[in-house]
């Protein structure tokens, strides 16, 4: 865990300077960088945009597929007047692990490619001068990393990754890098949680600082009027006739936190918060005590050229498309997204199931649907993996705990849950995460097709069930789809007979579809077949009251590993990778616009 990771802001006390742009870049296939003092400065470099994944810029396959160490460098100026400030570099994401050197000094190493970390520069920078940051990144996968995979060496000596998942292993400085200056005594973190009391709401807050001075907290409405205030590091703010944050009807108050030394202000941090409560009661998902039905997507951060590099333009288009189609939610499959995404969702009123990069926890995934006959949780890697997994859950909750849009934590995608050895792992993960979230949001994970009410051994753990199901595509496909529907109904009947008392959300279903391929009658891969396949799922969803959401796989086509089941990527998108609609988009727009928010409530 690193120092303050509050979202960077500029105000009278704080500075946030983005170091985005062209950085120097160099591959290090022999991992000899440190030995030859690359940390002091790189020679013979390429230019590389930050943020971006390096892969898709290259025209040579060896470079696109490069696996191993690679380095970035840039210079940054630190003003003289920052001498008494806390100066740091914040990396929003370095995929998958990084070591940061400033002016040749090693500052920090961080594991995990989708969460931010902070390199404290107090001892390492020169004020009033240019400074040099050099970052060594590594993009290998192993069974102890999140996400999971193997790294193999080919006979020609080149390394390559074999991910236990299908999305392409896009790597690099995928998100922004910030130069930050904070006052010596500053707000480190804060949390908010809510209670509704008739028309009023109580905002329970907690503020962490690195000093001893008093803290004051105030809440302002969207017109800028102060509605509540308090002093002290922890307490409650009563908001009379609270304007609640609601689905697709967001309302954000501004929380202003200040550190005060008598009449003197030492630091101020302002953030928008949405007052709302999330609960699971029986098979209902309740927002502000009212039932909601989730309509939306599993998504990816994935776009042309930049790969998984955060692309604000693509993100803006995605939000416009999600609004157009009548969606109200998405899962950040299969990793935490850039923080800008959650801020946009807070403002638009979208609901997010926030996922850690715990994907590939299954031996079948090691050979993609090939099924190696070993229990993943029996592997000798399990203890190290668990340490990593828990660390990333903690970092995720720490980062995203205050977002109104986040309604649940997804702690894994499609893990093995049918073997006895999965049980202690799940118990440990769920036990270790109790109480981490001040808002106590539901915790869940996505169950693959192998994991049913009869086979799964860990169904006691999640607060709601996420099901990934593929009749019509990975089995019972084409003309057999009617059997697929019947089998799915049989499965739902079993849940019903067992007296299911938690909601089910379908977190994946769908069919690969080549945009522009039309066929009457339909065949697989045609736009017509994708519509028929989703209509089949919708008939089933509409037949069971405990199914409380549908998040189709996937929002848009995305790049995958090469394979004989993929034609330039996963084509289950409702939109193309360039974010244009397939026929299915028009069908879903009609369905989702017609379904009320409280459908089946
Ligand atoms: N679920 C049979 C995880 C996603 C994949 C999706 C797919 C699988 C299906 C599992 O990350 O993209 O193959 O379309």
């Amino acid at each position: 865990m690193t120092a303050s990771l509050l979202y960077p802001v500029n105000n009278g006390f704080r500075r946030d300077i983005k170091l985005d742009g062209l950085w120097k870049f160099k591959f290090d296939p022999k991992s000899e960088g440190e030995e030859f003092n690359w940390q002091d400065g790189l020679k013979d470099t390429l230019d590389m945009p930050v943020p971006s994944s390096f892969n898709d810029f290259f025209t040579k396959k060896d470079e696109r597929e490069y696996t191993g160490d690679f380095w970035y460098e840039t210079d940054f100026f630190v003003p003289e007047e920052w001498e008494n400030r806390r100066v740091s570099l914040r990396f929003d994401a370095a995929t998958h692990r990084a070591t940061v050197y400033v002016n040749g000094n090693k500052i920090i190493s961080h594991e995990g490619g989708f969460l931010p970390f902070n390199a404290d520069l107090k001892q390492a920078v020169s004020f009033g001068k240019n400074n040099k940051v050099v970052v060594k990144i590594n993009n290998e996968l192993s069974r102890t990393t999140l996400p999971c995979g193997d790294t193999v060496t080919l006979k020609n000596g080149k390394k390559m990754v074999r991910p236990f998942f299908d999305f392409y292993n896009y790597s690099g400085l995928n998100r922004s890098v910030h130069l930050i200056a904070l006052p010596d005594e500053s707000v480190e973190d804060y949390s908010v949680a809510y209670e509704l009391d008739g028309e009023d709401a109580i905002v329970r807050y907690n503020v962490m600082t690195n000093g001893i001075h008093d803290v004051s907290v105030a809440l302002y409405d969207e017109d800028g009027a102060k509605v509540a205030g308090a002093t002290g590091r922890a307490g409650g703010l009563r908001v009379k006739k609270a304007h609640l944050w609601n689905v697709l009807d967001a309302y954000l108050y501004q929380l202003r936190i200040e550190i005060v030394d008598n009449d003197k202000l030492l630091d101020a941090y302002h953030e928008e918060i949405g007052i709302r409560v999330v609960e699971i009661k029986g098979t209902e998902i309740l927002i502000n005590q009212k039932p909601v039905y989730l309509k939306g997507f599993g998504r990816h951060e994935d776009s042309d050229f930049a790969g998984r590099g955060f692309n604000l333009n693509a993100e803006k288009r995605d939000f416009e498309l999600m609004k157009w189609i009548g969606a109200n939610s998405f899962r950040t499959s299969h990793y935490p997204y850039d923080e800008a995404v959650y801020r946009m969702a807070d403002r638009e009123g979208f609901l997010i199931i926030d996922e850690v990069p715990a994907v590939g926890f299954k031996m079948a995934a090691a050979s993609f649907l090939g099924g190696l006959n070993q229990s993943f949780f029996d592997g000798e890697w399990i203890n190290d993996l668990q340490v990593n997994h828990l660390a990333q859950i903690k970092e995720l909750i720490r980062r995203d705990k205050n977002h109104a849009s986040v309604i649940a934590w997804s702690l894994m995608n499609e893990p093995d849950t049918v073997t006895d050895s999965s049980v202690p792992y799940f118990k440990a993960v769920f036990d270790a995460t109790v109480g981490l979230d001040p808002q106590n949001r539901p915790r869940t994970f996505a169950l693959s097709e192998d994991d049913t009410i009869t086979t799964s051994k860990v169904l006691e753990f999640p607060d709601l069930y996420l099901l990934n199901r593929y009749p019509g595509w990975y089995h019972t496909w084409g003309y057999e789809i009617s059997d697929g529907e019947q089998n799915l109904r049989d499965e739902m009947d079993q849940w019903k007979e067992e007296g299911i008392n938690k909601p089910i959300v379908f977190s994946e279903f769908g069919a690969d579809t080549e945009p522009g391929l039309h066929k009457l009658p339909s065949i697989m891969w045609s736009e017509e077949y994708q519509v028929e396949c989703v209509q089949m799922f919708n008939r089933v969803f509409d037949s069971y009251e405990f199914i409380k959401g549908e998040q189709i796989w996937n929002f848009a086509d995305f790049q995958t590993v090469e394979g004989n089941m993929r034609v330039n990527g996963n084509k289950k998108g409702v939109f193309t990778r360039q974010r244009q609609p397939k026929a299915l988009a028009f069908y879903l727009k009609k369905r989702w616009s017609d379904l009320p928010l409280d459908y089946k409530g």
Side-chain angles (χ1 to χ4, degrees):
M1 189 114 347
T2 51
S4 179
L5 286 167
L6 282 179
Y7 195 75
V9 296
N10 279 297
N11 63 26
F13 302 88
R14 295 170 167 247
R15 286 288 168 271
D16 166 29
I17 298 173
K18 272 195 183 168
L19 301 185
D20 297 354
L22 277 186
W23 288 42
K24 292 179 180 169
F25 178 88
K26 189 170 170 135
F27 291 123
D28 182 7
K30 294 187 189 147
S31 291
E32 61 188 12
E34 271 108 350
E35 193 187 328
F36 290 100
N37 298 319
W38 290 17
Q39 60 274 25
D40 295 335
L42 304 176
K43 295 197 184 88
D44 305 323
T45 54
L46 307 166
D47 284 342
M48 186 58 67
V50 173
S52 75
S53 308
F54 68 73
N55 312 79
D56 282 354
F57 297 122
F58 289 108
T59 54
K60 291 190 185 128
K61 197 149 179 171
D62 283 347
E63 293 169 341
R64 179 178 192 259
E65 300 295 325
Y66 178 84
T67 303
D69 292 346
F70 48 98
W71 295 66
Y72 285 81
E73 175 191 320
T74 198
D75 286 347
F76 59 98
F77 181 80
V78 181
E80 208 161 338
E81 58 270 23
W82 286 11
E83 200 133 10
N84 294 318
R85 307 277 198 103
R86 301 168 67 199
V87 181
S88 63
L89 287 174
R90 184 195 211 254
F91 292 82
D92 288 349
T95 313
H96 292 286
R97 57 198 59 82
T99 300
V100 178
Y101 297 90
V102 172
N103 300 330
N105 301 306
K106 183 169 167 176
I107 308 292
I108 193 171
S109 293
H110 180 261
E111 173 68 33
F114 305 94
L115 287 162
F117 61 95
N118 224 329
D120 183 351
L121 302 188
K122 190 82 184 167
Q123 310 303 327
V125 280
S126 303
F127 294 91
K129 293 205 173 110
N130 260 340
N131 292 266
K132 187 182 295 303
V133 56
V134 180
V135 189
K136 180 175 88 168
I137 303 187
N138 175 282
N139 64 351
E140 292 173 29
L141 300 173
S142 78
R143 295 176 189 199
T144 65
T145 63
L146 271 64
C148 274
D150 285 334
T151 299
V152 298
T153 304
L154 301 175
K155 288 185 178 152
N156 65 9
K158 303 259 167 27
K159 284 187 201 165
M160 74 171 250
V161 282
R162 289 222 176 101
F164 296 179
F165 49 90
D166 75 339
F167 52 97
Y168 191 78
N169 189 39
Y170 280 120
S171 314
L173 286 176
N174 274 332
R175 297 181 192 153
S176 290
V177 181
H178 309 250
L179 172 63
I180 292 178
L182 303 181
D184 203 32
E185 185 165 339
S186 46
V187 177
E188 294 266 285
D189 199 5
Y190 77 93
S191 66
V192 279
Y194 310 106
E195 281 162 34
L196 303 186
D197 181 18
E199 288 194 310
D200 298 352
I202 321 278
V203 180
R204 301 250 171 248
Y205 72 89
N206 235 298
V207 177
M208 269 176 56
T209 75
N210 65 335
I212 49 156
H213 289 100
D214 289 343
V215 168
S216 82
V217 167
L219 205 60
Y220 292 78
D221 68 16
E222 283 189 356
D223 297 323
K226 183 171 174 178
V227 295
T231 50
R233 279 153 207 274
L237 301 169
R238 176 170 287 272
V239 184
K240 296 243 179 249
K241 294 200 171 158
H243 194 147
L244 301 184
W245 184 97
N246 267 306
V247 186
L248 300 182
D249 182 18
Y251 187 92
L252 297 174
Y253 288 90
Q254 194 184 59
L255 180 71
R256 298 190 194 170
I257 304 171
E258 294 178 340
I259 304 182
V260 280
D261 181 6
N262 295 314
D263 286 345
K264 201 172 153 215
L265 268 189
L266 302 180
D267 185 25
Y269 188 79
H270 304 170
E271 184 62 289
E272 289 179 324
I273 59 166
I275 301 177
R276 55 101 193 86
V277 289
V278 182
E279 291 159 284
I280 303 280
K281 273 202 183 143
T283 61
E284 300 284 7
I285 302 171
L286 303 172
I287 306 286
N288 299 331
Q289 301 163 346
K290 297 195 185 93
V292 300
Y293 184 83
L294 304 187
K295 303 172 264 184
F297 303 96
R299 298 177 58 206
H300 267 298
E301 290 188 306
D302 172 277
S303 65
D304 282 332
F305 310 122
R308 190 143 295 115
F310 180 62
N311 182 335
L312 188 58
N313 303 307
E315 198 58 48
K316 169 70 182 160
R317 173 75 176 169
D318 289 2
F319 269 83
E320 290 308 314
L321 291 175
M322 289 194 290
K323 286 191 279 180
W324 170 82
I325 205 170
N328 61 17
S329 63
F330 57 92
R331 176 169 62 124
T332 66
S333 41
H334 296 304
Y335 39 82
Y337 291 0
D338 189 283
E339 284 152 278
V341 177
Y342 302 77
R343 296 165 77 83
M344 287 165 88
D346 288 345
R347 279 199 285 272
E348 299 282 5
F350 277 91
L351 305 174
I352 295 178
I353 298 176
D354 204 2
E355 190 155 274
V356 280
V359 50
F361 288 17
K362 192 182 178 82
M363 289 320 293
S367 61
F368 194 58
L369 304 176
L372 295 180
N373 210 8
Q374 183 193 358
S375 161
F376 182 85
F377 293 104
D378 281 333
E380 77 284 353
W381 54 83
I382 276 308
N383 291 341
D384 289 345
L385 177 70
Q386 190 171 90
V387 170
N388 228 329
H389 189 183
L390 288 175
Q392 295 200 35
I393 295 173
K394 283 179 190 155
E395 286 180 36
L396 173 76
I397 296 179
R398 182 184 186 193
R399 191 192 73 163
D400 293 344
K401 61 186 177 301
N402 295 323
H403 287 290
S405 52
V406 174
I407 57 157
W409 309 109
S410 170
L411 306 184
M412 279 174 256
N413 180 69
E414 296 177 350
D416 170 17
T417 78
V418 302
T419 52
D420 289 332
S421 50
S422 63
V423 180
Y425 190 93
F426 275 77
K427 184 164 171 19
V429 166
F430 276 81
D431 282 355
T433 51
V434 173
L436 278 186
D437 172 15
Q439 294 187 11
N440 204 17
R441 291 168 181 89
R443 291 166 300 152
T444 183
F445 57 90
L447 287 152
S448 83
E449 303 226 59
D450 298 334
D451 309 275
T452 67
I453 188 141
T454 46
T455 59
S456 178
K457 303 233 158 69
V458 300
L459 295 180
E460 74 203 78
F461 296 110
D463 298 310
L464 75 154
Y465 300 119
L466 300 181
L467 299 192
N468 297 357
R469 295 291 182 268
Y470 285 96
W473 192 255
Y474 285 123
H475 55 86
T476 48
W477 58 63
Y479 189 49
E480 267 185 84
I481 195 171
S482 53
D483 277 5
E485 175 168 355
Q486 191 50 55
N487 296 344
L488 190 59
R489 285 181 184 278
D490 292 345
E491 187 193 346
M492 291 306 109
D493 287 341
Q494 276 182 326
W495 286 90
K496 193 172 171 183
E497 280 154 24
E498 295 293 328
I500 177 171
N501 68 347
K502 298 175 189 175
I504 284 183
V505 170
F506 273 71
S507 43
E508 285 188 26
F509 59 99
D512 280 85
T513 302
E514 185 57 32
L517 179 66
H518 293 284
K519 194 86 175 168
L520 187 67
S522 73
I523 53 165
M524 289 173 78
W525 292 92
S526 68
E527 296 205 24
E528 288 73 19
Y529 186 79
Q530 191 183 28
V531 173
E532 288 166 15
C533 182
V534 171
Q535 284 172 331
M536 177 278 279
F537 275 98
N538 287 162
R539 281 194 297 276
V540 177
F541 300 164
D542 292 344
S543 309
Y544 298 88
E545 71 74 30
F546 54 81
I547 298 175
K548 289 296 168 37
E550 49 192 87
Q551 295 189 326
I552 192 169
W553 193 251
N554 186 283
F555 172 75
D557 294 345
F558 60 91
Q559 193 57 246
T560 60
V561 289
E562 292 179 87
N564 50 15
M565 295 209 294
R566 300 285 185 250
V567 186
N568 188 22
N570 188 313
K571 295 289 176 69
K572 295 192 187 70
V574 175
F575 298 94
T576 64
R577 199 183 192 211
Q578 290 69 37
R579 275 50 175 192
Q580 295 302 333
K582 298 183 189 171
L584 177 62
F586 299 96
Y587 161 75
L588 281 176
K589 178 173 170 55
K590 167 94 181 75
R591 172 176 169 82
W592 288 349
S593 307
D594 288 350
L595 285 187
L597 177 62
D598 63 353
Y599 181 47
K600 297 190 217 169

